[in-house]
Amino acid sequence: MESLGDWRRDKYVNEVTEDDYDKELVFMGWVQDIMVLGKISFIILRDRGGTVQVVMSRNEIGANRYNFLKKLPRESVIAVKGVVVPNPQVQQGFEIQCKEIRVLNLAKSPLPISVDGQVRANMDTRLDWRFLDLRKPEVQAIFKIRSTVLSAMRDILLEEGFIEIHTPKIVATATEGGTALFKMKYFDRVAYLNQSPQLFKQSMMATGLDRVFEIGPAFRAEEHDTLRHLNEYTSIDIEMAFSDENDAMEVLERLVVRVYGKVLAENYSDLQTLNVEHTVPEPPFKRVKYSELIERLQNEGLEVEDERSGQKRLIEWGDDIPLEGMKLIAERYKSLYFITHWPTSLKPFYIMPLEGDEEVSHAFDLNYAEKELASGGQRIHLPDLLRRRLEENGLTPENFTFYLNAFEYGMPPHAGWGLGAERFLMVLTGVKNVREAVLFPRDKKRLVP
Ligand code: AMO
């Protein structure tokens, strides 16, 4: 194979402007296709900016070299030195008249999956060949948007006065109840992969740091195979002291609005590639009480299975809202809205119940249509109430000593939320399967790659 030598890329394909016309530039990328027309061949070269037509003539290159290059297998890696020439016939408005090519590596053929969108592979095959899958512009667009979203969130939260923290992912206790934990061997003890930074971010409220955030992995040993659950996802978490759930909701609202703005500004062409159109949502988002939604679903006649009797009955206050119910709600609430005043029984032990009506809590969810994007609330900061709520949830306070200690020596009232990066990306990119928003998704069947 030929080496890079002293060649370096001058521009990505999408960076070429009229100022570059008639200049000699170096491009590098993959051979998407070659069309041979006798003494002239057209190589479609692809880099992360797009594709360009490279015109290669036998006269310019020499017969031997030409005969070799015109047979390059698809997806081989090349560097091209050539002159940028305007050409109104092609989409880009210009082409490259090739002076010299260096073949940096050959690709085997046939390709296991098509990368030019000619043949559609199923999700599993695509994920098996993820590096090839990512050569498609519509797949790259998702990860370009993901990069914007996560860096924008970090910038915005820092501007909002939050301090970035990193908490352990190997832990000794559960936080979210409901979902199962992945167990692991930790020397001679049992440990788990953390479901959420919940306990750690709350304990930071007893330090005086006041506002903290973390962007990191969360692990859920959920058995179900759905289009919106992963076993490893990226969680954006905040916790803020001297605050209640309304303050936390306002931070979330500002964050979401600004991230939309940033994506529209920086990923306009990626959104076009994905065929999605957005406008920046207008705050404040609607706030609707859980009880209102239940009434609405009762009017629709939504039935659920009664846990005790196993019989079908009308949905009632205290029931979790099944996906079917969320879809009915989404007919009316088509974009972003908060659900507030959840029953305490449906939320984790650390959520603050309303004073005087303990059945109702200070918890909220942020939804987009039927999708839950985030959940949060005001937390219990009073140690006695917290111990009681642990016990009422069937948990043993002794297992939470490190956490409970933080409440005994001056813990301010506080609130926070956790937002699932991939769920939010589903909304922004329009993908229907959450696996599309992760490079290497982990689900019940997938551990490799
Ligand atoms: P919760 O368990 O509701 O709350 O999770 C918060 C958000 O994380 C995302 N999420 C998931 N995304 C993909 N796959 C999953 N299996 C999955 N599970 C959760 C969702 C969800 O809304 N500690 C609380 C947050 C808090 O109160 O601060 C918590 O983890 O987008």
Side-chain angles (χ1 to χ4, degrees):
M1 258 339 86
E2 292 150 20
S3 74
L4 210 50
D6 58 356
W7 285 21
R8 290 298 177 271
R9 173 189 281 121
D10 287 313
K11 292 216 161 174
Y12 285 109
V13 167
N14 62 332
E15 292 170 341
V16 173
T17 66
E18 288 182 11
D19 291 343
D20 297 311
Y21 289 176
D22 301 325
K23 282 190 195 152
E24 194 176 87
L25 296 180
V26 173
F27 295 88
M28 297 190 180
W30 286 260
V31 174
Q32 182 157 302
D33 206 358
I34 304 185
M35 282 154 292
V36 182
L37 291 176
K39 293 181 194 169
I40 301 260
S41 293
F42 300 95
I43 301 177
I44 304 301
L45 175 77
R46 189 191 63 246
D47 65 22
R48 82 174 196 202
T51 56
V52 68
Q53 171 166 290
V54 177
V55 186
M56 179 171 74
S57 85
R58 193 167 70 176
N59 290 349
E60 182 75 38
I61 299 276
N64 277 348
R65 187 72 179 153
Y66 180 80
N67 288 336
F68 163 69
L69 290 173
K70 73 178 189 190
K71 290 193 207 112
L72 277 180
R74 283 184 186 193
E75 295 304 310
S76 295
V77 183
I78 59 171
V80 175
K81 188 181 272 183
V83 180
V84 181
V85 180
N87 177 355
Q89 317 277 64
V90 296
Q91 201 195 347
Q92 292 79 354
F94 67 90
E95 62 189 18
I96 311 299
Q97 285 189 349
C98 173
K99 297 271 177 216
E100 217 183 318
I101 289 188
R102 289 186 181 169
V103 179
L104 303 176
N105 220 336
L106 293 177
K108 277 199 332 196
S109 58
L111 295 165
I113 62 168
S114 132
V115 305
D116 58 5
Q118 304 280 5
V119 190
R120 285 199 157 268
N122 68 30
M123 194 72 210
D124 262 329
T125 314
R126 285 178 48 202
L127 292 172
D128 287 342
W129 295 98
R130 195 56 153 158
F131 68 92
L132 283 175
D133 187 46
L134 269 143
R135 293 187 190 178
K136 299 178 217 160
E138 68 276 20
V139 180
Q140 275 189 13
I142 298 169
F143 292 93
K144 289 176 184 167
I145 293 172
R146 184 177 165 119
S147 169
T148 304
V149 168
L150 289 167
S151 71
M153 284 189 173
R154 180 171 276 116
D155 292 347
I156 295 163
L157 289 170
L158 289 169
E159 273 176 38
E160 291 259 356
F162 287 83
I163 292 168
E164 183 165 17
I165 59 165
H166 299 92
T167 64
K169 303 305 154 205
I170 303 176
V171 298
T173 45
T175 57
E176 301 306 316
T179 59
L181 287 157
F182 286 113
K183 212 179 196 178
M184 60 171 276
K185 197 164 133 29
Y186 191 69
F187 304 105
D188 54 358
R189 274 184 289 174
V190 169
Y192 305 95
L193 291 176
N194 206 4
Q195 298 170 311
S196 154
Q198 188 65 33
L199 306 186
F200 297 97
K201 66 176 182 173
Q202 275 194 268
S203 74
M204 287 302 103
M205 297 300 96
T207 63
L209 285 177
D210 260 24
R211 292 179 157 218
V212 299
F213 78 98
E214 176 164 9
I215 300 178
F219 303 90
R220 304 274 169 114
E222 329 217 17
E223 295 272 346
H224 37 274
D225 176 16
T226 77
L227 296 179
R228 59 185 201 290
H229 287 95
L230 294 161
N231 293 115
E232 176 177 356
Y233 69 95
T234 300
S235 183
I236 300 111
D237 274 90
I238 73 150
E239 205 61 27
M240 53 203 288
F242 305 100
S243 304
D244 66 15
E245 76 274 26
N246 293 305
D247 302 303
M249 281 155 77
E250 282 166 24
V251 171
L252 182 53
E253 205 166 59
R254 283 197 294 275
L255 179 77
V256 166
V257 168
R258 289 185 63 189
V259 169
Y260 263 85
K262 194 90 188 210
V263 168
L264 280 171
E266 292 193 4
N267 297 89
Y268 184 73
S269 67
D270 298 313
L271 293 171
Q272 277 189 320
T273 303
L274 288 164
N275 257 324
V276 282
E277 268 180 50
H278 288 302
T279 46
V280 177
E282 288 264 351
F285 305 159
K286 278 195 205 108
R287 280 133 168 92
V288 47
K289 288 187 176 149
Y290 163 89
S291 57
E292 269 178 56
L293 295 181
I294 291 295
E295 263 176 49
R296 195 176 292 275
L297 293 173
Q298 285 175 333
N299 291 338
E300 300 263 0
L302 183 75
E303 295 198 326
V304 295
E305 196 173 296
D306 189 82
E307 265 180 40
R308 266 161 298 188
S309 67
Q311 304 274 309
K312 283 266 185 189
R313 59 155 173 79
L314 198 62
I315 193 164
E316 57 189 46
W317 197 94
D319 288 331
D320 209 351
I321 305 175
L323 184 59
E324 192 191 346
M326 290 312 304
K327 285 188 174 157
L328 290 171
I329 290 164
E331 287 173 12
R332 161 115 190 229
Y333 297 94
K334 293 183 171 33
S335 64
L336 292 154
Y337 61 99
F338 287 107
I339 307 176
T340 64
H341 296 78
W342 284 86
T344 306
S345 61
L346 288 180
K347 289 293 175 180
F349 66 85
Y350 50 76
I351 287 289
M352 183 68 119
L354 290 195
E355 222 180 336
D357 185 4
E358 283 212 2
E359 303 251 289
V360 184
S361 76
H362 286 270
F364 65 84
D365 281 1
L366 174 68
N367 272 48
Y368 184 99
E370 76 279 0
K371 255 188 232 61
E372 178 198 315
L373 303 186
S375 64
Q378 187 184 334
R379 325 298 191 182
I380 298 172
H381 62 288
L382 308 169
D384 292 340
L385 179 56
L386 190 53
R387 256 189 297 272
R388 170 155 74 78
R389 288 295 298 143
L390 275 166
E391 280 164 358
E392 284 169 0
N393 276 273
L395 297 162
T396 317
E398 288 67 47
N399 293 341
F400 290 81
T401 306
F402 96 88
Y403 173 67
L404 287 170
N405 281 345
F407 292 78
E408 307 276 5
Y409 302 92
M411 172 63 98
H414 59 278
W417 45 254
L419 166 69
E422 292 78 13
R423 295 269 182 96
F424 187 32
L425 278 159
M426 287 175 81
V427 173
L428 289 170
T429 62
V431 298
K432 298 281 178 286
N433 187 338
V434 70
R435 290 164 186 77
E436 298 261 15
V438 205
L439 285 177
F440 299 103
R442 291 289 169 262
D443 64 25
K444 205 172 168 196
K445 282 171 257 152
R446 245 177 202 285
L447 191 55
V448 181

